[in-house]
């Protein structure tokens, strides 16, 4: 096969079924092709799989039903439930916060007097079982508002005017360590918002949480939960996947993409194999912004077991419209 036929092959594949992103990468590819034939052939062979893989996250978060498509390339160990893949960024925390978190992990007070504290997230959204086993903790933090937490961490956390107009409720419970005894904790206060760091020896990522009570436009009261997942470190951006409801092997899923006013596309999984199941299986939304993954949950405060699916998902869209 000659190099010009190689080029034609790659062009066809990038423009058809192998490339999952609805964008045309060929102009950029063609401009970067080497001029020498044998270099051109090698470049095409090496670049094709990378370009195809990059397309997985080219349009933001992507949804995969793991029963219909088990073990996709971005979630090779997943066989059930659904996975959300996206391109994550890595962030560095301010020096004072980072130093204080490490001091807390070593059972020392931070320079600002913050004592070591473990944290527990309330509600239905919390770190998965694997991350619970690897909580770096003793360095959890609580704040009064979402914007105050964004300022303290330096993270570009998405703000939401709709949620800010509701009634906040405590999202994170902090347990402060007051002795060197690793088994003794003093129960501390409840924080309106907060984060729990996860990692083996140092914090690798943060789970950030808020909870709010909010009335829908038709007057129904909902509990809204929002959790952000932010990665720490100096590594370059990479495609990652988060797997959800992995034990629900018998369920299949559809996904409704929803265009948000801020330019993000939210993904709303819908259980399509059991129409009589409780609505909470299908009252989640996911979106990615600035390389941070957000999970939004919606629970009717009254009529929890008889809440209408369409009403609940309409509430999800209403909240999604409030993100800046």
């Amino acid at each position: 096969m000659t190099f010009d036929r190689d080029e034609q092959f790659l062009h066809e594949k990038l423009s058809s079924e192998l490339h999952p992103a609805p964008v045309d990468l060929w102009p950029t590819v063609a401009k970067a092709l080497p001029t020498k034939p044998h270099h051109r052939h090698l470049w095409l062979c090496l670049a094709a799989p990378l370009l195809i893989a990059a397309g997985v996250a080219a349009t933001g978060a992507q949804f995969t039903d793991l029963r219909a498509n088990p073990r996709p390339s971005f979630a090779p160990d997943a066989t059930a439930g659904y996975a959300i893949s996206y391109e994550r960024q890595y962030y560095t925390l301010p020096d004072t916060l980072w130093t204080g978190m490490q001091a807390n992990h070593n059972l020392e007070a931070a320079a600002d007097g913050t004592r070591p504290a473990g944290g527990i997230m309330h509600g239905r959204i919390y770190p998965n079982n694997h991350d619970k086993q690897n909580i770096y903790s003793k360095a959890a933090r609580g704040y009064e508002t979402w914007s105050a937490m964004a300022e303290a961490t330096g993270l570009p956390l998405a703000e939401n005017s709709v949620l800010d107009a509701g009634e906040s409720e405590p999202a994170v419970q902090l347990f402060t360590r007051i002795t060197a005894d690793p088994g003794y904790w003093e129960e501390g206060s409840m924080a309106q918002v907060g984060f729990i760091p996860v990692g083996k020896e140092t914090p690798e990522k943060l789970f950030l949480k808020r909870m709010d009570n909010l009335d829908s436009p038709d007057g129904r009261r909902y509990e809204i939960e929002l959790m952000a997942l932010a990665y720490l470190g100096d590594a370059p951006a990479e495609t990652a996947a988060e797997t959800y409801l992995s034990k629900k092997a018998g369920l299949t899923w559809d996904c409704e993409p929803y265009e948000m006013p801020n330019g993000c596309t939210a993904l709303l999984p819908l259980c399509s194999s059991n129409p009589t199941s409780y609505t909470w299986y299908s009252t989640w939304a996911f979106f990615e912004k600035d390389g941070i993954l957000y999970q939004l949950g919606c629970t009717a405060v009254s009529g929890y077991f008889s809440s209408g699916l369409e009403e609940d998902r309409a509430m999800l869209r209403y909240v999604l419209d409030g993100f800046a």
Side-chain angles (χ1 to χ4, degrees), residues 73-294:
S73 60
F74 55 83
D77 297 325
T79 59
Y82 55 88
I84 306 294
S85 61
Y86 67 103
E87 189 174 28
R88 66 188 180 195
Q89 305 292 326
Y90 288 81
Y91 291 93
T92 301
L93 297 176
D95 289 341
T96 52
L97 177 59
W98 180 261
T99 301
M101 289 171 60
Q102 292 190 323
N104 290 161
H105 184 65
N106 294 327
L107 295 180
E108 300 169 356
D112 63 0
T114 302
R115 294 185 296 173
I120 295 177
M121 288 185 170
H122 286 239
R124 293 192 293 149
I125 304 179
Y126 40 79
N128 59 36
N129 289 333
H130 171 77
D131 284 326
K132 282 183 178 179
Q133 297 169 6
N134 293 285
I135 287 180
Y136 175 77
S137 213
K138 311 178 197 92
R141 292 288 194 280
Y143 301 90
E144 292 185 0
T145 65
W146 187 258
S147 58
M149 183 168 61
E151 181 178 359
T153 59
L155 296 173
L157 298 178
E159 299 287 346
N160 189 299
S161 58
V162 171
L163 291 181
D164 291 342
E167 300 175 7
S168 61
E169 64 176 89
V172 176
Q173 187 172 12
L174 300 175
F175 294 87
T176 306
R177 190 183 292 273
I178 59 174
T179 74
D181 180 358
Y184 185 80
W185 294 84
E186 175 189 63
E187 183 173 347
S189 61
M190 301 284 291
Q192 296 298 111
V193 304
F195 69 74
I196 294 177
V198 168
K200 294 182 179 179
E201 297 181 359
T202 59
E204 298 171 359
K205 53 187 173 181
L206 301 181
F207 288 94
L208 308 102
K209 180 75 179 288
R210 71 178 290 175
M211 297 181 67
D212 299 270
N213 286 310
L214 188 66
D215 290 332
S216 66
D218 62 3
R220 298 188 64 185
R221 175 57 60 106
Y222 283 88
E223 182 177 75
I224 308 297
E225 302 179 52
L226 176 67
M227 185 175 76
L229 174 57
Y231 282 79
L232 305 176
D234 298 322
E238 65 177 82
T239 299
E242 295 297 323
T243 306
Y244 296 89
L245 297 177
S246 59
K247 295 181 181 180
K248 305 296 183 183
L251 302 181
T252 56
W253 302 89
D254 293 327
C255 184
E256 174 195 344
Y258 181 72
E259 299 298 326
M260 300 164 59
N262 66 356
C264 297
T265 299
L267 307 175
L268 281 66
L270 175 65
C271 179
S272 56
S273 55
N274 186 4
T276 62
S277 63
Y278 291 127
T279 60
W280 62 70
Y281 284 156
S282 300
T283 54
W284 310 103
F286 302 85
F287 69 93
E288 172 271 331
K289 187 175 186 296
D290 297 319
I292 297 174
L293 182 67
Y294 294 85

Side-chain angles (χ1 to χ4, degrees), residues 61-76:
Q62 304 285 321
F63 173 89
T64 297
D65 179 349
L66 297 175
R67 182 171 176 82
N69 180 24
R71 294 190 177 95
S73 60
F74 55 83

Side-chain angles (χ1 to χ4, degrees), residues 43-60:
W43 192 95
L44 289 169
C45 292
L46 294 176
L50 297 177
L51 289 167
I52 293 169
V56 171
T59 58

